[in-house]
Amino acid sequence: MVAPDNVRVHAVVDEGLGNSSYLLDLGDGSALVVDPPRDLRAVHARARAEGLRIRFAADTHLHADFLSGAVQLAHDERATVLASAAGARRFPHRGLHDGDEVDLGGLRLTALATPGHTDEHVSFLISDGASPAGVFTGGSLIVGSAARPDLLGPARTDELARAQFASLRRLAALPAATAVWPTHGAGSFCSAPPGAHRTSTIGRELATNPLLRLNEEQDFVEALLGSLGSYPAYFRRLGAINRQGPAVLDTERAGTLTALSASAVRRRRAEGATLVDVRPVTQYAAAHIPGSLSNALRAQFATWLGWVVPPGRDIVVVRNPDQDPADIAWPALNIGVERIVGELAGGLDAWIAAGYDTAVIRVLRSEQLDPGALRVLDVRQTSEYLAGHLPSAGHVELGSLTGRAAGLVPVPTAFMCGHGERAATAASLLECAGRQDLAVVVGGPQDWADAGGRDLVTGPDGGTVTDER
């Protein structure tokens, strides 16, 4: 963590969303938390470990990738919420304009208007006396890049990209030793380069951030927009919820799942609920409820849950006994998925004991894969595919497969991603569309190349799926 010796900042990283929240120790047993998520378990754990009570909760912008925990902290901890006045939030908060200052008791917070990622975005400059110590940059200046400016729609994208250019220049004018504490980091679909450090300094960014080397606004806009990939559809909904203020949760009950009998689950499925199987890929493939969606429980579970399950759809979970219900329910709530109506009591064993049918999907190890024997469909993000894929492998991003599954020509197909989890989700989507003769590849393209001493293809090679009816 980059921080001056006299300023104690503790990062709380969400590896699944690629984001960081920060606890700033105010020196009197209290803390300011910046960009807290609705899932506050890790934030509270870190605060307890440091002996801190949360007195302020600050949001740099109206988040699109998660629901803010600021309203919950105001309710539970009586924390004062700090946010941009331009955000027009509809819950009690202290609205800050450009240049407004907040006395934190020894430290001073100054709001800096830094639009670009969103139009009401602010950064929070922390000063100790006259000296800037660090700046919470949210989705403005991030390590090695800047966050995406296209979340408010194509009509605003160019305008916001140009605003991002000006905001980065404003931040770059801070003293070189000023710590940079961004919210978005590696793995965030709000756009951050992979493998980057999560914190930095102004001086380091001036020396290494390619966007800060571009002095012409148009060059900056083209570079920033050219780096953007796809993002989940739920990003278009969460900003409005964050402006309204997410509902306060009963934290004791929020992390639990209601037990449903096998017959109740069968009835829910018939009524249109989506069954989400969170067990490991190989267990799902060996036996699962027909028509269930595979989404293995892992750091990225919530992102893909929100991406591929239609909004407003009731969800029933199938899990193993050693998978914690809280690790399913809380990440879902974090991204606004509110309709997990329960779980299959007793897991798949209870379904089988009730005499109900199960389905299987073939599993292939990457070294077993013969691209000439069946269609290989790579469902990774476009940037991953272009970085290296199997010769002749077709490509369609998993996030767009939900709208294209019924149109794919029904031929034997093996789905591939980086490890197998997204491939299993893709195969389950095709199975829900009535397709058979499907396989899931466990392992990624590099595993296939290493096993046979073969080369991967980089760049586009016509592998985008075009064989739709």
Side-chain angles (χ1 to χ4, degrees):
M1 165 64 66
V2 176
D5 292 339
N6 58 333
V7 176
R8 295 184 293 279
V9 176
H10 308 284
V12 180
V13 178
D14 184 327
E15 297 289 352
L17 296 180
N19 290 332
S20 298
S21 301
Y22 298 93
L23 279 168
L24 173 64
D25 189 335
L26 302 182
D28 62 355
S30 68
L32 162 78
V33 60
V34 179
D35 288 339
R38 197 183 196 192
D39 179 2
L40 289 163
R41 292 176 300 163
V43 170
H44 282 312
R46 189 57 185 265
R48 287 194 299 269
E50 301 297 333
L52 298 173
R53 175 181 63 85
I54 297 172
R55 186 156 59 98
F56 295 96
D59 273 335
T60 57
H61 58 291
L62 291 165
H63 303 289
D65 52 340
F66 65 92
L67 293 182
S68 170
V71 172
Q72 191 75 39
L73 288 169
H75 178 272
D76 295 348
E77 308 286 339
R78 297 186 178 180
T80 298
V81 178
L82 307 175
S84 168
R89 289 164 173 82
R90 301 189 182 105
F91 55 87
H93 67 285
R94 180 172 173 181
L96 302 178
H97 298 86
D98 185 42
D100 283 354
E101 296 182 352
V102 179
D103 182 1
L104 300 176
L107 297 175
R108 184 177 70 256
L109 178 150
T110 304
L112 304 178
T114 47
H117 182 44
T118 62
D119 52 7
E120 40 63 55
H121 192 288
V122 292
S123 297
F124 299 116
L125 179 65
I126 302 299
S127 301
D128 184 10
S131 303
V135 58
F136 296 105
T137 57
S140 188
L141 176 63
I142 61 179
V143 179
S145 189
R148 63 190 316 143
D150 59 340
L151 296 178
L152 300 185
R156 300 288 310 281
T157 297
D158 184 78
E159 169 199 348
L160 289 173
R162 295 179 191 280
Q164 193 75 297
F165 175 79
S167 293
L168 261 64
R169 265 69 204 157
R170 182 181 192 186
L171 292 168
L174 293 170
T178 306
V180 173
W181 302 309
T183 299
H184 300 311
S188 169
F189 281 99
C190 281
S191 186
H197 296 289
R198 294 195 175 273
T199 61
S200 187
T201 64
I202 294 296
R204 185 183 300 167
E205 290 308 296
L206 284 168
T208 61
N209 190 323
L211 291 179
L212 289 180
R213 297 176 186 173
L214 300 175
N215 296 319
E216 297 297 327
E217 181 181 83
Q218 186 60 34
D219 292 340
F220 175 95
V221 170
E222 291 175 3
L224 179 57
L225 298 185
S227 69
L228 301 180
S230 60
Y231 61 85
Y234 67 83
F235 277 29
R236 295 190 287 271
R237 302 190 299 270
L238 298 196
I241 300 174
N242 279 322
R243 177 175 279 116
Q244 182 68 36
V248 171
L249 299 171
D250 178 345
T251 54
E252 292 298 320
R253 299 183 60 185
T256 63
L257 299 174
T258 301
L260 299 173
S261 67
S263 60
V265 170
R266 191 166 181 255
R267 184 172 63 254
R268 289 278 191 174
R269 182 183 63 170
E271 293 170 349
T274 296
L275 275 56
V276 178
D277 192 321
V278 304
R279 296 175 300 145
V281 169
T282 54
Q283 294 181 25
Y284 163 83
H288 59 269
I289 298 173
S292 58
L293 179 74
S294 174
N295 184 18
L297 188 58
R298 61 201 190 281
Q300 295 78 25
F301 162 76
T303 294
W304 292 109
L305 181 72
W307 206 330
V308 302
V309 176
R313 182 75 61 84
D314 285 349
I315 295 170
V316 176
V317 169
V318 180
R319 67 176 176 93
N320 281 334
D322 61 351
Q323 293 177 309
D324 190 340
D327 290 338
I328 300 166
W330 271 116
L333 290 168
N334 211 30
I335 62 157
V337 175
E338 308 270 358
R339 298 184 64 169
I340 298 183
V341 297
E343 65 166 331
L344 173 59
L348 191 67
D349 288 345
W351 181 267
I352 295 172
Y356 299 140
D357 290 341
T358 60
V360 300
I361 287 182
R362 185 163 48 125
V363 172
L364 298 173
R365 296 191 306 274
S366 55
E367 60 269 23
Q368 296 175 309
L369 189 59
D370 179 2
L374 75 173
R375 176 172 63 181
V376 178
L377 197 55
D378 191 321
V379 297
R380 295 174 299 159
Q381 298 301 103
T382 297
S383 59
E384 296 174 277
Y385 175 80
L386 296 178
H389 56 271
L390 271 63
S392 76
H395 176 242
V396 58
E397 288 190 354
L398 174 58
S400 66
L401 189 58
T402 51
R404 302 175 68 180
L408 297 180
V409 173
V411 297
T413 302
F415 292 92
M416 169 175 271
C417 60
H419 301 95
E421 292 89 355
R422 285 177 287 176
T425 301
S428 67
L429 287 169
L430 266 291
E431 184 187 81
C432 288
R435 299 302 171 82
Q436 299 178 345
D437 206 356
L438 306 171
V440 174
V441 179
V442 176
Q446 193 59 54
D447 299 306
W448 175 85
D450 292 343
R454 294 162 288 206
D455 293 327
L456 297 176
V457 177
T458 59
D461 66 345
T464 301
V465 171
T466 58
D467 58 340
E468 295 171 293
R469 293 188 282 187

